[in-house]
Every structure is written in structure tokens, then in C-alpha cells.
Amino acid sequence: MPDRWESTHLDEIEPISVVNGTLLWRPVRRTLDVGAFGINAYVAPNAGDDVVEEHTERSLGHEEVYVVLSGRATFTLDDETLDAPAGTLVFIRDVDVKRHARAEEPGTSVLAIGGRVTRRTSRPHGKTTSRQNGIGRAGTTTRISSSWRPLSNADRITLGRCTTSPVPRPWPVGPTTRSNICGERSN
């Protein structure tokens, strides 16, 4: 197995029965030994079963993204409901939002990704795309929010001996390591 990366298939991760056997937890984080964020998959064998247990993230302070991988779920976010067919992403920024999802089809699976906020990007809140932020097709410059601003010297990343400006990319830039920004391998 390579030291620098690893691959598996969700079906290869041994499921653990939770919630009185009505929900299968596939511990992605533990299987791959992910240290930077939480990531796990949940599968509801039957329609009507929970696929995300009701909870908030108040005690942990985590933002969460749920990705419906297969089937269809109904999310309840506080008092609102959201129909979420396969391919739907649900981002919950507020740790106090009570969240729950029920499978609407047998075998519905949801990938949950979460972690503490370490910093905010300059990207505005709300529905935006890279094209709407002026990064898309050549010749387009569109802003949908007056709070958007390009990265500046104040946003410089300092990592040990290496200081560099962020690399412009058409997707949000996450945590950066010396190995991918300075050409050095971090240990």
C-alpha cells in the first residue's frame, strides 16, 4: 500500500450496525485514518429508517456536509424539510441546527463530512459558483455579492520557512501543506 495515498470502496468498509440495527455505519475516517476532518458513511437498509440520526453539533462545534450517494433522503433541518435525491449536498454551517435525515428508498446512503472551522475563505455565503465569482469562462466577471473580495497579501499563507501567496484556483482552497505549496515533503 502506498504511504502517501490510499484507496478503498465504500462496500469494502465493514459496516457496524447502530440505532438498534436500523442504520449501518461505515467508519471511513477510522478505516483510512483521516486526521484532518471527520468523514463517515451511513446506509439505511429500509425506506423510513434514519440515515442521519437527529442531533446538533453544538458540543463539537463542527460544520457538516452531507452528500446523498444513493437513494433519496428527506432532511429535517430545524423546522424545515428538504427532499434530497442522490447527488444532493447539504451544508450545515450553524452548529445549533437540529439535523436529521430519513431514507425514502431502501439502501439510501449518505456521506457525512465535518470538522471545526479553522478559517473562512473570502467567498461569500450563499449560493455561488466559481463562474459567479469571476473565475469561470474566459471574459466573464460576475459578482453576486458585494462582500466578495479577491485574496490579497493579508491572506498570505506562512508555513515554516515557506511563505507564498495562495494559488488562484477555480475551487475553494482548503488547508495547505508545505508539500503541495513549496514543493517540499512534509512529514
Side-chain angles (χ1 to χ4, degrees):
M1 180 184 318
D3 289 339
R4 298 182 310 160
W5 63 272
E6 189 172 344
S7 174
T8 191
H9 191 279
L10 195 55
D11 291 338
E12 294 173 352
I13 299 173
E14 189 67 34
I16 298 169
S17 182
V18 294
V19 190
N20 299 320
T22 62
L23 181 61
L24 299 176
W25 168 44
R26 295 193 185 257
V28 176
R29 181 179 191 177
R30 184 168 65 191
T31 300
L32 297 176
D33 194 26
V34 176
F37 49 87
I39 180 168
N40 289 294
Y42 300 90
V43 181
N46 304 300
D49 288 347
D50 286 351
V51 72
V52 174
E53 294 179 86
E54 184 175 289
H55 71 288
T56 70
E57 288 294 317
R58 185 177 305 128
S59 64
L60 296 174
H62 288 175
E63 291 184 330
E64 289 185 311
V65 175
Y66 295 97
V67 182
V68 181
L69 299 174
S70 64
R72 195 174 107 246
T74 297
F75 279 81
T76 302
L77 308 165
D78 283 337
D79 296 325
E80 299 181 54
T81 60
L82 172 71
D83 181 47
T88 301
L89 289 97
V90 179
F91 172 48
I92 305 172
R93 179 177 293 107
D94 186 340
V95 299
D96 290 322
V97 170
K98 188 183 294 181
R99 61 213 67 196
H100 172 258
R102 182 184 68 242
E104 299 298 331
E105 298 176 8
T108 295
S109 62
V110 172
L111 184 67
I113 306 155
R116 284 189 168 276
V117 177
T118 57
R119 68 179 175 92
R120 290 273 181 218
T121 63
S122 61
R123 191 175 153 175
H125 297 308
K127 295 182 179 180
T128 62
T129 65
S130 58
R131 192 172 83 205
Q132 291 168 319
N133 278 332
I135 305 171
R137 294 178 308 197
T140 63
T141 305
T142 307
R143 289 187 186 168
I144 64 165
S145 170
S146 60
S147 65
W148 180 87
R149 67 174 178 76
L151 294 174
S152 68
N153 282 339
D155 300 306
R156 292 177 69 83
I157 299 169
T158 305
L159 300 160
R161 299 184 316 268
C162 178
T163 302
T164 183
S165 295
V167 177
R169 298 180 184 167
W171 60 87
V173 177
T176 308
T177 64
R178 285 178 31 198
S179 63
N180 66 8
I181 206 137
C182 300
E184 299 175 27
R185 185 167 185 236
S186 52
N187 294 319

